[in-house]
Amino acid sequence: MLRQFDWLRSNAFCLQTKNEQRSNEWLQKAEDFRSMESIVSNLFRHLCSSANRSLVYDLYAHVSDLRSTIVLLRAFVDWLALGHQDDSPGCERKAGKQPFCSGDQEPWIYRGGLLGEMQRLLPIMSAPGAPFARPIAVPVFTIRPYMQSDHDVLREFCEKHFLSHALVDGEALISFPSLAIDSSIGDYIALSSDLIFVLDTTGQLCGYACGALNAQQHRTGAQSTWKPQMAVKYPAGLLDSELHPSIKILIEAFHSDRGRGPLLPEDIYEQYPSIVTMAMTQESLNLAYLPFSLLSALINCLRGQGSHGVHTVLSAENRVLHECFTSQGFTELMRTADGAVILGRSIERFP
């Protein structure tokens, strides 16, 4: 990469000549250099998304500095490709001559190693209009307890989550703006809002994790108090109107005698008394440390309240969350007749 940039900088004058072959050669090598920069940028992104945070903390400063310098080199190449010339003092403009002079700068300007070698290829006293590399923007994620002020953004997140998974019809959902959040986690908000954690970045909600300390009591409370409230909010008369089938299914669940979620065997409730559920955007799920951190916050809170085991109920078709939970120590306990998968793990020692 150093030799490639050195050649591009030394032969940038080719773009000012009428030699089409040399100009095409320069442009091709410039494109190759851009590809190298993309590889380094991908390396940086993969490092930031690594689940091994200790490795990230050890290498981040070095890889970030390296990537910043290479981005600046690419910007300089793009600037040269526009027909600009490097006007560093003392540099020749003839073929075969070095376009820069070493030793003219104070020694402490440069860092050592590979980064220093790259910086030495850039003109310190650059021409007007030379490129400026802006600081790399790295998203900052925050995991915190749910607050009442989060209800509106959480409602929007649940609605987008339903639409992205094709669970409801988008146009039909407009008439019922709270149906998505009520159907997904309404019982947790009503009965155990202190066990809800949200994930956001710059004010935009990216996911949530909900739980209940005692799954049996939560199921009973949802059936006796929360579902009657939902039945009043969404009266049975709506089922006789011309609603989209997906909307009717959600409303009908509030009026059925079935409990909230499947009824599990007693031994599962004894060994894994608490229940957890989680939803995140696909972009957040791709960052392996985010679902682990979000779930850890919830499970540590449950453990602090005396729980010794947790379980979760997933759809058999939800392979992404299934892999997410199993990667964090959950094992499959059983499958229900309607296709739900029950996963559980002990939390006496977590993570």
Side-chain angles (χ1 to χ4, degrees):
M1 180 176 283
L2 290 172
R3 288 193 296 267
Q4 190 90 333
F5 181 80
D6 191 11
W7 188 92
L8 289 169
R9 190 171 185 265
S10 303
N11 294 274
F13 66 90
C14 297
L15 299 176
Q16 305 294 329
T17 66
K18 297 181 179 180
N19 190 329
E20 184 176 352
Q21 181 178 358
R22 292 294 301 276
S23 297
N24 291 337
E25 181 184 8
W26 193 97
L27 294 173
Q28 180 59 48
K29 287 184 179 292
E31 187 61 33
D32 294 341
F33 185 83
R34 296 186 186 99
S35 300
M36 295 179 188
E37 184 272 332
S38 298
I39 293 174
V40 176
S41 296
N42 289 333
L43 170 65
F44 176 75
R45 283 190 288 270
H46 285 303
L47 174 67
C48 291
S49 62
S50 173
N52 189 342
R53 304 314 293 169
S54 297
L55 178 65
V56 175
Y57 299 146
D58 289 340
L59 298 181
Y60 179 85
H62 306 289
V63 180
S64 177
D65 286 348
L66 178 62
R67 193 238 178 184
S68 299
T69 303
I70 294 177
V71 168
L72 184 59
L73 295 182
R74 172 177 174 169
F76 187 70
V77 170
D78 293 339
W79 182 71
L80 292 176
L82 295 175
H84 298 290
Q85 289 294 312
D86 179 12
D87 295 330
S88 301
C91 296
E92 300 291 341
R93 280 289 159 261
K94 295 181 181 179
K97 297 285 187 178
Q98 289 290 344
F100 62 96
C101 301
S102 60
D104 292 341
Q105 311 299 333
E106 295 293 342
W108 53 80
I109 290 178
Y110 301 105
R111 301 177 64 173
L114 177 62
L115 198 59
E117 294 297 327
M118 290 184 172
Q119 290 176 338
R120 283 180 172 84
L121 294 179
L122 284 169
I124 296 298
M125 301 179 66
S126 55
F132 169 71
R134 297 185 179 275
I136 301 172
V138 178
V140 177
F141 294 93
T142 303
I143 296 174
R144 55 177 175 78
Y146 165 80
M147 299 182 294
Q148 187 62 36
S149 58
D150 296 321
H151 188 272
D152 289 340
V153 291
L154 187 56
R155 175 180 56 79
E156 294 177 2
F157 173 83
C158 292
E159 181 177 336
K160 292 178 181 178
H161 186 72
F162 267 47
L163 296 177
S164 64
H165 290 75
L167 299 178
V168 293
D169 179 74
E171 295 183 0
L173 194 61
I174 296 177
S175 303
F176 303 93
S178 299
L179 184 58
I181 188 173
D182 289 337
S183 299
S184 54
I185 58 172
D187 51 335
Y188 291 98
I189 294 177
L191 302 176
S192 56
S193 60
D194 59 320
L195 291 174
I196 302 178
F197 288 84
V198 296
L199 170 71
D200 68 34
T201 174
T202 62
Q204 182 178 2
L205 198 134
C206 306
Y208 66 79
C210 306
L213 182 62
N214 188 301
Q216 284 182 302
Q217 294 179 3
H218 179 84
R219 191 173 188 273
T220 302
Q223 187 70 17
S224 61
T225 60
W226 174 75
K227 285 187 69 174
Q229 295 175 6
M230 293 297 102
V232 174
K233 186 175 182 179
Y234 304 97
L238 293 173
L239 299 175
D240 299 327
S241 58
E242 296 183 358
L243 294 177
H244 193 274
S246 61
I247 300 295
K248 285 188 176 182
I249 292 175
L250 297 178
I251 295 179
E252 188 176 10
F254 297 136
H255 298 273
S256 69
D257 295 331
R258 294 183 57 187
R260 182 72 167 170
L263 182 62
L264 306 179
E266 285 294 329
D267 59 331
I268 291 183
Y269 287 126
E270 291 177 2
Q271 191 171 357
Y272 311 100
S274 301
I275 185 172
V276 296
T277 184
M278 181 173 65
M280 301 178 68
T281 61
Q282 186 59 51
E283 294 78 8
S284 300
L285 284 172
N286 291 337
L287 301 175
Y289 67 94
L290 286 180
F292 177 80
S293 301
L294 180 60
L295 192 59
S296 296
L298 175 58
I299 290 180
N300 285 327
C301 185
L302 288 168
R303 185 174 59 178
Q305 296 187 19
S307 178
H308 59 268
V310 298
H311 70 273
T312 187
V313 181
L314 301 177
S315 169
E317 300 176 354
N318 197 336
R319 297 179 179 271
V320 176
L321 274 185
H322 189 281
E323 293 178 359
C324 178
F325 276 96
T326 53
S327 66
Q328 299 184 42
F330 283 76
T331 57
E332 184 172 324
L333 305 177
M334 62 172 290
R335 290 180 179 247
T336 63
D338 56 356
V341 181
I342 314 301
L343 304 176
R345 71 156 292 172
S346 171
I347 60 172
E348 293 178 353
R349 294 181 179 180
F350 185 88

